[in-house]
Amino acid sequence: MTLPSSDLKTKQSDISSFVGKVLRDHFGKGPGSVYVSISDPFVTIYVKDLMSATERVLYSGNHEKTLKKTREFVMDKISDEIKSYIKTVTDIDVQRLYYDWSLENQSGVFLGVGPFSRDATYAPYSGQDTVHDEIILMSEKVEKRPEKIFSLRVNDRTLIVVREGLLVEIEKQLIHDGHQEVLRLSKGKIEKRMLNVERISSKIECDIEDYFIDWDFKKDQSFTIFIMKPNN
């Protein structure tokens, strides 16, 4: 679905305002800014300057796990509300809202994903092969080579990479035993450490401001979102 530019901006602005209010109501502090990108079946919501006074105390005291656990509880409360609003505004039936945080940057991303075909194709972009190569290399170091990988350059600020079929047997057993959140935290730290962001940035000819990773363990899928600095 391709929307007229004016219509797209209106929808993005509506979602930005709504998410800012929801976060303010539940976190006690709204984000400094919210940037929304829409490209069916994806809706990306990038938030900046989101950390309350209490969270600052937790973060400075090395209680990152407690901070993230609290945010998980809040996200469980508001995810359906955000998904429903996205559906109302865009008609994209978001099946799940993925999210990840960059606490050091006081930022985060929400990724709404609607139904999509595993065989879908998206327009190529400059540096795409390198992006895929680096993501595959990182995957091989951490778990295994993904069975499928594709990506979408939504706009100048947003790049989404999807991997499928990358869980190894020990990870599947941890998930079966109910240790999804421990696995999620550990994989996030390792994958981000292993990913060569500088090489990706040089090939796509944009400075990467932030990057985020989340997983759908049931579907054996992973979503990596790169946020680029706008070209002035």
Side-chain angles (χ1 to χ4, degrees):
M1 177 180 66
T2 302
L3 298 170
S5 178
S6 59
D7 192 24
L8 179 62
K9 289 181 179 179
T10 299
K11 293 177 185 295
Q12 291 175 164
S13 178
D14 288 347
I15 294 172
S16 173
S17 297
F18 178 81
V19 170
K21 180 181 183 304
V22 169
L23 293 177
R24 184 167 59 252
D25 290 345
H26 288 81
F27 279 83
K29 176 191 180 300
S33 53
V34 182
Y35 301 96
V36 177
S37 301
I38 302 171
S39 182
D40 194 0
F42 302 108
V43 178
T44 306
I45 304 167
Y46 175 52
V47 298
K48 298 183 68 174
D49 302 321
L50 178 66
M51 188 171 284
S52 67
T54 301
E55 289 181 323
R56 290 178 191 275
V57 172
L58 289 171
Y59 186 62
S60 63
N62 295 319
H63 297 294
E64 181 179 331
K65 185 180 294 186
T66 302
L67 196 165
K68 286 191 172 182
K69 192 68 178 177
T70 302
R71 287 194 171 188
E72 286 172 18
F73 177 78
V74 173
M75 290 305 299
D76 285 344
K77 293 288 186 181
I78 67 177
S79 287
D80 285 346
E81 190 176 358
I82 294 175
K83 288 191 297 182
S84 178
Y85 190 79
I86 290 174
K87 167 72 172 177
T88 300
V89 172
T90 68
D91 204 34
I92 297 175
D93 186 14
V94 173
Q95 298 176 326
R96 179 170 172 180
L97 191 71
Y98 302 90
Y99 62 90
D100 187 24
W101 312 105
S102 175
L103 296 179
E104 62 273 22
N105 293 333
Q106 299 181 29
S107 59
V109 78
F110 309 147
L111 176 66
V113 181
F116 66 90
S117 169
R118 296 183 79 255
D119 299 320
T121 56
Y122 300 95
Y125 55 89
S126 176
Q128 184 178 50
D129 288 343
T130 297
V131 171
H132 289 190
D133 287 346
E134 291 300 329
I135 292 286
I136 290 170
L137 180 61
M138 175 268 286
S139 298
E140 289 176 333
K141 291 177 179 178
V142 179
E143 51 268 305
K144 69 174 185 178
R145 185 184 184 91
E147 296 171 6
K148 184 178 179 65
I149 183 170
F150 63 91
S151 59
L152 169 65
R153 182 74 181 264
V154 179
N155 51 36
D156 289 343
R157 293 204 64 171
T158 311
L159 170 63
I160 301 169
V161 184
V162 182
R163 288 174 290 164
E164 297 185 347
L166 64 156
L167 291 173
V168 296
E169 290 304 316
I170 190 169
E171 292 176 320
K172 292 178 182 179
Q173 188 62 48
L174 285 169
I175 293 165
H176 181 267
D177 292 341
H179 301 300
Q180 294 94 330
E181 293 311 315
V182 173
L183 181 62
R184 189 181 306 276
L185 287 172
S186 298
K187 281 172 69 70
K189 290 179 179 179
I190 297 172
E191 287 200 349
K192 288 178 180 179
R193 187 169 68 244
M194 293 291 185
L195 188 58
N196 191 335
V197 178
E198 291 76 15
R199 178 164 165 74
I200 292 175
S201 181
S202 68
K203 292 300 181 180
I204 63 175
E205 299 177 352
C206 285
D207 291 330
I208 293 174
E209 183 174 355
D210 257 330
Y211 60 104
F212 305 89
I213 306 174
D214 198 7
W215 297 266
D216 187 327
F217 291 138
K218 288 184 178 180
K219 294 183 178 180
D220 199 354
Q221 292 177 335
S222 175
F223 300 88
T224 303
I225 302 94
F226 294 97
I227 304 296
M228 280 77 70
K229 293 181 180 178
N231 293 322
N232 296 323

